[in-house]
Amino acid sequence: AVIALGKLGTEQCVPILLNRLRNDPVMDIKEDALLALGLTRQEKALDPLLTTLKGRDLNLKAFAALGLGLLGKSEARIAIISEYESLVRTGKEETAACLAVAMGMLDDGAFVDRLAAPLKTRGSREMKILKIYICQALGQIGGEKAQDLLILALQGKDKNVQAAAILGLSQYA
């Protein structure tokens, strides 16, 4: 029901969704509310999504990022970059993966350089997960730099990252 409200896309849905986000005790409902806020594509959803993105709860941070990607407002770009870099720096790659997906949804070439560093490093299982989502984002963003990074990812040894790079490159065809 929460997602359906977001799909309605009316300004009147935003306060209802904010109420679910702030007051519902069930985490799944809070996560759905964040996605639904993005689906509304209403300007009023931007500030609550940004506030949640900057919060401490990693689950809610991830869903706020996805909500921002769905919202499609370029004003979210700086906050997403800042949170993404902080998460990568502090070893929170699984949450950073959701921010990478949001970068892809916002389809801004300025994100490409920010997504590059993890593709050039070796790392944990979580780093491999992040690399997979980076490949997805680069495929959505497109451009020559993104394509070069996807080719770099193909040269790695992890089959899952290579498969993601192939899928990213297939979006150029």
Side-chain angles (χ1 to χ4, degrees):
V2 174
I3 296 292
L5 276 175
K7 286 182 177 182
L8 285 175
T10 64
E11 194 173 308
Q12 295 82 0
C13 294
V14 174
I16 298 166
L17 294 168
L18 288 174
N19 183 40
R20 292 295 85 201
L21 173 62
R22 293 178 181 140
N23 300 316
D24 203 295
V26 179
M27 183 59 81
D28 289 348
I29 300 297
K30 291 177 181 285
E31 293 167 351
D32 285 351
L34 289 164
L35 295 175
L37 283 166
L39 286 170
T40 67
R41 303 193 59 87
Q42 293 292 323
E43 191 71 34
K44 285 183 172 184
L46 180 62
D47 284 340
L49 287 168
L50 287 171
T51 299
T52 307
L53 179 72
K54 295 173 186 174
R56 291 185 175 188
D57 186 296
L58 293 178
N59 266 0
L60 294 180
K61 185 183 293 278
F63 278 86
L66 296 172
L68 286 164
L70 291 167
L71 190 64
K73 304 285 184 200
S74 62
E75 296 93 329
R77 189 167 56 89
I78 293 170
I80 289 174
I81 288 171
S82 174
E83 289 299 319
Y84 170 80
E85 290 177 342
S86 173
L87 290 165
V88 171
R89 193 173 45 254
T90 58
K92 307 229 176 8
E93 292 92 352
E94 286 190 51
T95 305
C98 291
L99 278 81
V101 171
M103 290 180 197
M105 287 191 272
L106 289 172
D107 193 17
D108 185 334
F111 291 131
V112 173
D113 289 334
R114 308 301 180 140
L115 294 167
L119 288 178
K120 298 175 182 177
T121 62
R122 302 180 87 191
S124 63
R125 176 189 159 283
E126 289 79 12
M127 183 61 79
K128 289 178 186 176
I129 291 169
L130 174 58
K131 288 179 181 185
I132 289 168
Y133 286 103
I134 288 172
C135 289
Q136 175 188 339
L138 291 170
Q140 286 179 280
I141 294 169
E144 191 174 322
K145 277 179 134 178
Q147 191 172 17
D148 290 345
L149 288 170
L150 289 167
I151 291 168
L152 174 70
L154 270 176
Q155 296 167 0
K157 295 185 180 192
D158 185 273
K159 299 296 180 205
N160 293 314
V161 174
Q162 289 172 333
I166 289 167
L167 287 173
L169 288 166
S170 73
Q171 294 184 44
Y172 289 80

